[in-house]
Amino acid sequence: MAEIAIRAAGVDDLEPTYEVVEACNRALYGEPELTLEHLRSSWDFWTGFTAWEGKRVVGTSAVRGDDVVVFVHPDARRRGIGTQLLRAAEGAATLDVLQADAVTLEPAAAPFLRANGYEKVWEIWLMGVELASVPAEEPRWPDGIEVRTVRTEDAAAVKTLLDEAYAAEPEHRPVPFDQWRQVMLGDPSFDPDVWFLAESGGELAAAALNWKEGYVKDLVVHPAWRRRGLGEALLRRTFATFRERGVSRVGLKVLSNNPTRAWRLYERLGMRRERTYEVFQRRLRPAR
């Protein structure tokens, strides 16, 4: 058995890295969670590492901000490769606290993180609905609200709205605008015709930023506009648009400790929990 060499990931490692991620996804879900182009669009913002066995990549890890990810090819596990990759990513971290997700479909994921000093803090729920099961209903917009699709010049205002809407969420750390713009507007799933902005007097009140395949990436309402039905109206607009496009299913993710308890709205509109990701954290350095 060849020795494992951990190396910093470079541009040439993108495709072999994706092969490992894809193999892990297929083993769990039967299909990949992201495409090669999705990985390519955010590659520059992660500090990554690869585990080489001879001329083959058998694992990968990466860190960005407080997020760390580790993937080991299904046929190369139980050899300590994941721990080596995790340590490499932790060594490159710039923040004192890191977090990692462990999907409950993978029984070894949570024990792996606990064995490496991580503790569970909350969950992320993937929710979804078959649109055929949702009765068509026109959105009801609050007085003074106008709705339109996004324009390129809206990017800064949209980013500001996201940061204000997410400010109360635990551990929310805004990313730099240029990074957010490249990741979001440069994503292969970006389509401005399914990004819906609700505004009043020229100011953004809420937004539904959807990926074209039928995924709600962000659904946010400014704190000053909450409890007026804007979130429901935007979600119904999203459902109607994807139904017209022939998309059969809509999904999204929500935090279990979301301060607005947004999952109650999603459940009321027919969405159900389909997958659970346990979120773990580890403090790398003492609090200052």
Side-chain angles (χ1 to χ4, degrees):
M1 186 176 295
E3 289 189 7
I4 300 298
I6 307 296
R7 305 175 189 169
V11 175
D12 294 340
D13 297 322
L14 175 62
E15 293 192 14
T17 293
Y18 178 73
E19 290 175 4
V20 172
V21 175
E22 182 185 28
C24 293
N25 284 175
R26 289 192 181 280
L28 280 179
Y29 317 128
E31 61 183 7
E33 274 199 310
L34 76 167
T35 67
L36 176 61
E37 292 308 309
H38 286 119
L39 183 60
R40 191 190 309 278
S41 69
S42 62
W43 180 260
D44 292 341
F45 300 111
W46 291 85
T47 300
F49 299 88
T50 49
W52 290 80
E53 185 175 34
K55 296 182 178 181
R56 177 193 177 210
V57 174
V58 294
T60 184
S61 66
V63 61
R64 181 179 69 177
D66 61 351
D67 290 322
V68 63
V69 295
V70 179
F71 294 91
V72 177
H73 197 285
D75 66 11
R77 294 177 180 173
R78 301 185 184 279
R79 294 163 52 190
I81 298 172
T83 298
Q84 293 181 63
L85 285 165
L86 180 59
R87 293 290 173 260
E90 290 173 342
T94 58
L95 299 180
D96 295 338
V97 178
L98 290 184
Q99 68 177 36
D101 300 343
V103 64
T104 55
L105 290 173
E106 173 51 81
F112 167 75
L113 290 172
R114 289 192 178 96
N116 282 283
Y118 288 74
E119 297 181 355
K120 182 177 175 179
V121 288
W122 55 75
E123 296 179 349
I124 298 172
W125 299 324
L126 174 67
M127 303 184 71
V129 64
E130 295 296 326
L131 292 179
S133 68
V134 181
E137 184 174 321
E138 287 295 318
R140 299 177 183 178
W141 304 104
D143 292 341
I145 288 292
E146 296 182 356
V147 182
R148 61 177 176 85
T149 54
V150 75
R151 298 187 289 261
T152 303
E153 58 267 28
D154 294 318
V158 171
K159 175 64 164 58
T160 297
L161 172 65
L162 291 172
D163 290 340
E164 292 174 344
Y166 288 140
E169 293 198 353
E171 304 300 324
H172 172 65
R173 294 185 178 91
V175 300
F177 171 70
D178 288 342
Q179 177 178 331
W180 174 85
R181 179 175 57 185
Q182 182 173 333
V183 169
M184 293 293 289
L185 276 63
D187 192 284
S189 294
F190 171 67
D191 179 348
D193 291 337
V194 292
W195 276 33
F196 303 121
L197 307 183
E199 58 185 3
S200 174
E203 298 293 327
L204 290 186
L209 313 182
N210 304 309
W211 291 149
K212 62 186 179 183
E213 295 86 0
Y215 182 79
V216 183
K217 178 65 175 68
D218 292 288
L219 177 64
V220 292
V221 179
H222 191 279
W225 278 91
R226 288 175 182 165
R227 302 186 183 279
R228 304 194 203 183
L230 265 178
E232 178 176 345
L234 282 167
L235 203 52
R236 288 193 182 280
R237 172 69 178 272
T238 294
F239 287 176
T241 298
F242 282 125
R243 189 182 286 114
E244 292 169 2
R245 288 181 165 214
V247 175
S248 61
R249 177 187 176 279
V250 169
L252 54 76
K253 288 180 180 177
V254 63
L255 291 174
S256 63
N257 58 350
N258 180 288
T260 67
R261 294 182 172 85
W263 66 84
R264 296 183 302 183
L265 166 63
Y266 309 148
E267 289 175 342
R268 183 156 52 82
L269 294 187
M271 306 189 86
R272 296 293 178 262
R273 299 177 197 178
E274 298 177 343
R275 191 179 299 166
T276 297
Y277 301 82
E278 297 178 302
V279 181
F280 287 77
Q281 283 187 350
R282 181 189 178 204
R283 178 169 288 280
L284 302 180
R285 292 171 283 273
R288 300 171 185 176

